Amino acid sequence: MIYLDVLLLVNFLTAYFLLLAAGLLSGQRAGGGRMLLGSAVAALSSLILFAPEQPFLIQLAYKAGTALLIVAAAFGCRNKRRFATAVCWYAAFNIALAGLVMLVILNTGTRALQTGNLTVYLRVSPLLMVVLSGAGCLAAELGMRLLAGGKAVRQSVGLEVELAGVPVHLRAALDTGCHLTDPITCLPVLVVSFPDAAARIPQPVRDYLKAWFDGRAPEQPPEGMKLRLIPCKTAAQSGLLPGFAVGNIGLITAQGVLGLGRTAVAFAPQSFGSERYEALYGQDFL
């Protein structure tokens, strides 16, 4: 007998942990709301277990389509490469989890397996499913921390940002602790050191930011600019950073400028203390 509430709850919690692991390994971090949405979609997708048996191609299309939808709900699909990576990791973790539970079943000799439309229902303890899912997420977290531990030197990339109609070239470095997002679009934000980049910033924007950090910001931002207040929390303090919405941020490559899409740029009042870069971005930015 399948209990609907248990089926939905277990799939919801399991998907939450698997999405966390997929996000870690694809360099993405979703907000709480999007994680809950992706987990809810995953839970609802398991209801096909109750449907009449469908042709194999329909079953396959359903599983692939729901996997894409679940990952898109959690992380979005703005960056196609990261989206595809997250889908592959999410699918891999699902397969690995099913294999682990099957191993438990084979070793215990219990008959607790029911399948339908390529969906597997394992009548085992819900706690076991959640613990195994959490263990997979923890393993991904530990693996990423161990791999990142040896990276002492930050690699910088060239970025192009348009401010007040003027293209501005910046050097940016990866900061794994940078998770700032635009509260309007929920997209990741590029953080720029105002002292380090002041000479490259157009005069109207530079004057506005200088006045802001001096405590006398004008009521209106520079013409054509949309002000964004970006929440920022560090170990020492929390507050709001001034920033601007930008239509596109481009990655400077040997073949030209590769558009990364719209987002926002926030400005920090302190120097980052390096001559190699003036900006920081998180793992979910590029």
Side-chain angles (χ1 to χ4, degrees):
M1 181 180 294
I2 300 176
Y3 294 96
L4 181 60
D5 54 346
V6 175
L7 175 69
L8 293 175
L9 179 59
V10 170
N11 276 278
F12 179 88
L13 295 175
T14 300
Y16 189 90
F17 283 118
L18 298 187
L19 285 170
L20 277 178
L24 285 170
L25 293 171
S26 61
Q28 302 181 92
R29 185 180 294 268
R34 298 204 68 156
M35 286 294 294
L36 293 177
L37 176 60
S39 302
V41 174
L44 292 174
S45 71
S46 66
L47 294 179
I48 195 174
L49 183 67
F50 299 105
E53 198 72 12
Q54 302 296 314
F56 177 75
L57 289 180
I58 294 179
Q59 297 178 26
L60 195 61
Y62 179 83
K63 297 299 290 186
T66 52
L68 293 170
L69 184 60
I70 290 164
V71 175
F75 304 111
C77 49
R78 182 172 66 98
N79 188 309
K80 300 300 187 292
R81 180 177 62 84
R82 288 185 183 271
F83 174 67
T85 303
V87 170
C88 291
W89 277 117
Y90 179 73
F93 274 111
N94 269 282
I95 295 171
L97 178 61
L100 285 174
V101 178
M102 289 287 291
L103 184 62
V104 171
I105 293 172
L106 291 174
N107 287 334
T108 59
T110 180
R111 293 188 176 184
L113 180 64
Q114 183 172 337
T115 62
N117 293 312
L118 291 184
T119 299
V120 179
Y121 180 71
L122 302 160
R123 296 191 298 277
V124 296
S125 168
L127 182 60
L128 173 62
M129 292 289 291
V130 174
V131 168
L132 288 175
S133 303
C137 180
L138 180 61
E141 175 74 23
L142 292 176
M144 293 299 292
R145 289 183 180 275
L146 289 174
L147 290 174
K151 296 179 180 178
V153 180
R154 285 179 171 175
Q155 296 296 324
S156 61
V157 297
L159 297 177
E160 181 181 274
V161 182
E162 186 174 297
L163 297 173
V166 178
V168 177
H169 290 177
L170 299 168
R171 294 165 298 177
L174 172 65
D175 182 353
T176 56
C178 180
H179 303 298
L180 299 189
T181 57
D182 182 350
I184 304 297
T185 63
C186 297
L187 294 175
V189 170
L190 179 70
V191 185
V192 180
S193 166
F194 177 64
D196 294 342
R200 305 187 184 190
I201 299 174
Q203 188 69 40
V205 180
R206 184 163 64 244
D207 292 343
Y208 180 86
L209 291 172
K210 187 176 186 305
W212 177 284
F213 292 127
D214 289 343
R216 49 183 179 83
E219 294 184 1
Q220 297 297 327
E223 184 177 356
M225 304 290 290
K226 295 181 180 179
L227 180 65
R228 289 283 196 268
L229 297 180
I230 309 298
C232 177
K233 184 176 182 180
T234 65
Q237 60 184 352
S238 60
L240 297 173
L241 296 180
F244 303 100
V246 293
N248 183 56
I249 290 182
L251 176 66
I252 301 175
T253 68
Q255 291 74 36
V257 179
L258 174 64
L260 300 176
R262 66 189 180 96
T263 183
V265 177
F267 291 89
Q270 69 273 15
S271 170
F272 294 151
S274 175
E275 296 181 353
R276 298 180 60 249
Y277 55 87
E278 306 87 21
L280 297 174
Y281 63 91
Q283 288 182 323
D284 50 357
F285 183 81
L286 292 179

